[in-house]
Amino acid sequence: MGREKVIAVVGLGLIGGSMAAALRGFEAYTVTGVVRRQETADYAISHGVCDRVTMDPMEILPEADLVYLCMDPRGIVDYMARYRDVFKPGSLVTDVGGIKTAIMEGAKVLPETVDFIGCHPMAGTEFSGIEHSFPTMFQRAHFILTPGERSTPEHLDLMKRISAYIGCSDVVVTTPERHDAIIAYTSQVMHIIALSVCDDEDLFRCRGFEGGSFRDCTRVAALDVGLWTQLFSMNAPALTKVIRRLEENLRAYRETIESGDLEALSKKLTWSADRKRQMNLPGPGQVML
Amino acid sequence: MGREKVIAVVGLGLIGGSMAAALRGFEAYTVTGVVRRQETADYAISHGVCDRVTMDPMEILPEADLVYLCMDPRGIVDYMARYRDVFKPGSLVTDVGGIKTAIMEGAKVLPETVDFIGCHPMAGTEFSGIEHSFPTMFQRAHFILTPGERSTPEHLDLMKRISAYIGCSDVVVTTPERHDAIIAYTSQVMHIIALSVCDDEDLFRCRGFEGGSFRDCTRVAALDVGLWTQLFSMNAPALTKVIRRLEENLRAYRETIESGDLEALSKKLTWSADRKRQMNLPGPGQVML
């Protein structure tokens, strides 16, 4: 099959590197990585992360049919402002950012001829950099899309084909506001929990006493500080609301245990455990205690 | 090799069934399961969980060199009181309970001729019952022991050989008080977190937005209510102290995010993430975000 169309993946870090590698071979597209450092370019080529790599955005953006922005949120917003007149007319720009309202706002800088659909593939690891990327990262993950007001059905359909090609479990189309409100709960506060657990004074004394639940819960605390400073602060109102609710739910458990009322504790446990069973989430990471 | 010695595993549930199956073939021991229900006996025999099975404790306890009590904490304490005069003189009684102070206290009922070493293999799943048991459950888990005042070196050595045989990563010998204080942090509060996260009003609205960190963190919320009512309430002072510390650490993160001080947030994230990296816990459940 002839490769006549061009995907540019800007930023080959953990997510960008994985996305580029996952996209290779998609329909009639070639995948070109756009990087800033020679070492990243060398790694990408020697590890087959993409078909081509360039350090000059001007060389590839004018001919790219799809541009995947894989930097941190501010990097994505700044990039769109800087290259707004370079993107190819009729092209689609998308991203992988973990918050969507600020990015969709930033995308308004793009000319009318350039489409933008926000994207958040719900996958990743606690590591950073192209050397930790892998092409199967998105398998079984949700692929969340926040189309713009003038996004075309053709571009939405293209994103859905990409989701299927990289192995995502499903496509969720939503608004940026709803995305950010729910992601504060399902992702951001999980990180706040992991960090807060590691802040406990007993952390270094507990070696030898931890099981699977402790390892699972604290895993994501080893996060990329620069990235998560942005993600947390750019979604502060939604996130702090969820943290406050969690503080209240923890306090309710503490008070029930303090009360010594075993029947009340048993009732409360039954209620929470039933909610969890109703959710019945499948997927990786569900094995050991 | 002749099988001349006898291990009785009392209670073939998730942990007891796994322990019996893991112990099969250990040195010169046969493994006899002691159960209350005919269906459990049938399952144990048809699935090779143990060498023999009985529903009559009087038939096996008087000849058992090692008795592994695998019920909930109150069940363990009650069993020792009820069968105190039936255990074989010179034998070792042990258990798998998730709290140790109350169980060690209960073991004082045993006659001087019967040794007791508390045991907590740090493994399990969120399921219950023999049908969810599996012999590799303890692989790479910590094997925590709380010997009694008159526990013999021979019996401690026997427990260490068992730990190695069932595949545990290491043996941690400690006091029941220290065990309970640290387990409140490494295990019990992980369950309180999972439950509290599931109590959030957004739980059922978040389908399609969850990733690995959410699945990992909430997994253990689907717990055995009767068992955990006991575990939490019998360790209430230590547990509520840890919950309170977590509430404070969460509040500190919330307030830093609310303040809008990005430098302070970045510093705080760096501190927590560094602590996590210093812990560098290996093991299962460390793959997806």
Side-chain angles (χ1 to χ4, degrees):
Chain A
M1 182 164 61
R3 302 270 169 206
E4 296 145 17
K5 292 185 161 187
V6 174
I7 296 175
V9 177
V10 183
L12 295 180
L14 175 73
I15 305 294
S18 298
M19 184 57 79
L23 283 170
R24 282 195 74 179
F26 174 65
E27 297 182 356
Y29 290 85
T30 55
V31 178
T32 297
V34 185
V35 302
R36 282 188 298 193
R37 299 189 313 130
Q38 186 61 49
E39 303 85 71
T40 312
D42 294 344
Y43 185 100
I45 290 304
S46 65
H47 288 74
V49 170
C50 41
D51 299 301
R52 289 188 299 158
V53 65
T54 178
M55 294 174 69
D56 180 11
M58 300 306 289
E59 189 183 294
I60 188 75
L61 293 184
E63 62 179 73
D65 302 284
L66 172 68
V67 179
Y68 232 124
L69 300 177
C70 303
M71 302 86 92
D72 61 32
R74 291 209 193 281
I76 291 167
V77 168
D78 292 348
Y79 207 86
M80 290 191 287
R82 179 163 176 195
Y83 294 102
R84 63 183 299 279
D85 298 321
V86 182
F87 296 114
K88 179 176 170 179
S91 69
L92 171 65
V93 179
T94 184
D95 77 307
V96 294
I99 51 152
K100 298 267 69 100
T101 310
I103 289 173
M104 295 301 290
E105 196 58 35
K108 288 184 178 162
V109 77
L110 297 174
E112 274 197 21
T113 51
V114 177
D115 196 356
F116 185 86
I117 296 178
C119 176
H120 182 190
M122 289 291 294
T125 72
E126 66 273 32
F127 303 108
S128 309
I130 192 170
E131 65 275 20
H132 290 113
S133 68
F134 54 99
T136 55
M137 174 177 284
F138 308 102
Q139 287 181 6
R140 292 186 291 174
H142 299 298
F143 194 73
I144 307 177
L145 298 178
T146 57
E149 278 170 32
R150 47 169 212 268
S151 293
T152 67
E154 289 74 21
H155 282 151
L156 198 59
D157 192 64
L158 169 61
M159 292 304 286
K160 288 179 180 173
R161 297 199 309 277
I162 284 177
S163 168
Y165 187 75
I166 66 177
C168 288
S169 60
D170 51 10
V171 174
V172 178
V173 178
T174 188
T175 63
E177 293 77 20
R178 183 168 143 77
H179 169 276
D180 289 0
I182 300 197
I183 229 65
Y185 172 52
T186 57
S187 168
Q188 297 197 325
V189 92
M190 297 304 118
H191 290 73
I192 296 288
I193 289 170
L195 295 158
S196 298
V197 166
C198 288
D199 284 355
D200 192 275
E201 61 190 40
D202 269 348
L203 179 68
F204 299 118
R205 278 193 289 271
C206 86
R207 221 180 274 271
F209 292 83
E210 84 296 341
S213 62
F214 189 82
R215 288 189 289 265
D216 282 353
C217 178
T218 57
R219 179 176 54 82
V220 293
L223 44 69
D224 178 328
V225 171
L227 172 64
W228 285 91
T229 301
Q230 288 187 24
L231 291 170
F232 290 151
S233 61
M234 292 167 90
N235 199 27
L239 175 56
T240 53
K241 218 181 283 180
V242 179
I243 298 176
R244 197 183 290 271
R245 294 204 301 261
L246 177 62
E247 288 171 65
E248 281 160 17
N249 290 337
L250 286 169
R251 199 197 52 210
Y253 259 109
R254 173 169 57 76
E255 288 175 354
T256 306
I257 294 166
E258 278 168 351
S259 78
D261 183 341
L262 296 195
E263 204 184 320
L265 178 57
S266 169
K267 250 189 194 165
K268 196 164 164 52
L269 289 173
T270 302
W271 194 74
S272 307
D274 282 353
R275 286 170 67 84
K276 165 61 186 160
R277 287 198 185 89
Q278 275 183 61
M279 274 299 281
N280 188 31
L281 293 171
Q286 275 201 300
V287 188
M288 302 299 293
L289 189 69
Chain B
M1 183 163 60
R3 302 270 169 208
E4 299 144 14
K5 292 188 160 184
V6 174
I7 296 175
V9 178
V10 183
L12 295 180
L14 176 74
I15 306 295
S18 300
M19 184 57 80
L23 282 169
R24 282 195 74 179
F26 174 65
E27 298 181 355
Y29 291 86
T30 55
V31 178
T32 297
V34 185
V35 302
R36 283 189 297 195
R37 299 190 313 129
Q38 186 61 49
E39 303 84 70
T40 313
D42 294 345
Y43 186 100
I45 290 304
S46 65
H47 289 74
V49 170
C50 40
D51 298 303
R52 290 189 299 158
V53 66
T54 179
M55 294 173 69
D56 180 11
M58 299 307 288
E59 189 182 294
I60 189 75
L61 292 184
E63 62 179 74
D65 303 283
L66 173 67
V67 179
Y68 232 123
L69 300 176
C70 303
M71 303 86 94
D72 60 34
R74 291 209 193 281
I76 291 167
V77 168
D78 293 348
Y79 206 86
M80 290 191 286
R82 180 163 177 194
Y83 293 101
R84 62 184 299 280
D85 298 321
V86 182
F87 296 114
K88 178 177 172 180
S91 68
L92 172 65
V93 179
T94 184
D95 77 306
V96 295
I99 52 152
K100 298 267 71 98
T101 309
I103 288 172
M104 296 299 291
E105 195 57 36
K108 288 185 179 161
V109 78
L110 296 174
E112 276 197 19
T113 52
V114 177
D115 197 357
F116 184 86
I117 295 178
C119 176
H120 183 191
M122 290 290 294
T125 71
E126 66 274 32
F127 304 108
S128 309
I130 192 171
E131 66 274 21
H132 291 113
S133 68
F134 54 98
T136 55
M137 175 177 284
F138 309 101
Q139 287 181 6
R140 291 185 293 174
H142 299 298
F143 195 73
I144 306 178
L145 298 178
T146 58
E149 277 170 32
R150 47 171 211 270
S151 294
T152 67
E154 290 73 22
H155 282 152
L156 198 58
D157 192 63
L158 170 60
M159 292 303 287
K160 288 178 181 174
R161 298 200 308 277
I162 284 177
S163 168
Y165 186 74
I166 67 177
C168 287
S169 60
D170 51 10
V171 174
V172 178
V173 178
T174 187
T175 63
E177 294 77 20
R178 183 168 143 77
H179 170 276
D180 289 0
I182 300 197
I183 229 65
Y185 172 53
T186 57
S187 168
Q188 297 198 325
V189 92
M190 297 303 119
H191 291 73
I192 296 288
I193 290 170
L195 295 158
S196 299
V197 166
C198 288
D199 284 354
D200 192 276
E201 62 190 40
D202 269 346
L203 179 68
F204 299 118
R205 278 193 289 272
C206 85
R207 222 180 274 272
F209 291 85
E210 83 296 342
S213 63
F214 190 81
R215 287 189 289 264
D216 282 351
C217 177
T218 56
R219 179 176 55 81
V220 292
L223 44 69
D224 178 328
V225 171
L227 172 63
W228 285 90
T229 300
Q230 288 187 24
L231 291 170
F232 290 151
S233 62
M234 292 168 90
N235 199 27
L239 175 56
T240 52
K241 218 181 281 180
V242 179
I243 299 175
R244 198 183 289 272
R245 294 205 301 262
L246 178 61
E247 288 172 64
E248 280 160 18
N249 289 338
L250 286 169
R251 199 196 53 210
Y253 259 109
R254 174 170 56 77
E255 288 175 354
T256 306
I257 295 166
E258 279 168 351
S259 77
D261 183 341
L262 296 195
E263 205 184 321
L265 178 56
S266 168
K267 251 189 193 163
K268 196 164 165 52
L269 289 172
T270 302
W271 193 75
S272 308
D274 281 354
R275 285 171 68 84
K276 165 62 185 159
R277 287 197 186 89
Q278 275 182 63
M279 274 299 281
N280 188 31
L281 293 171
Q286 275 202 300
V287 188
M288 302 299 292
L289 187 68

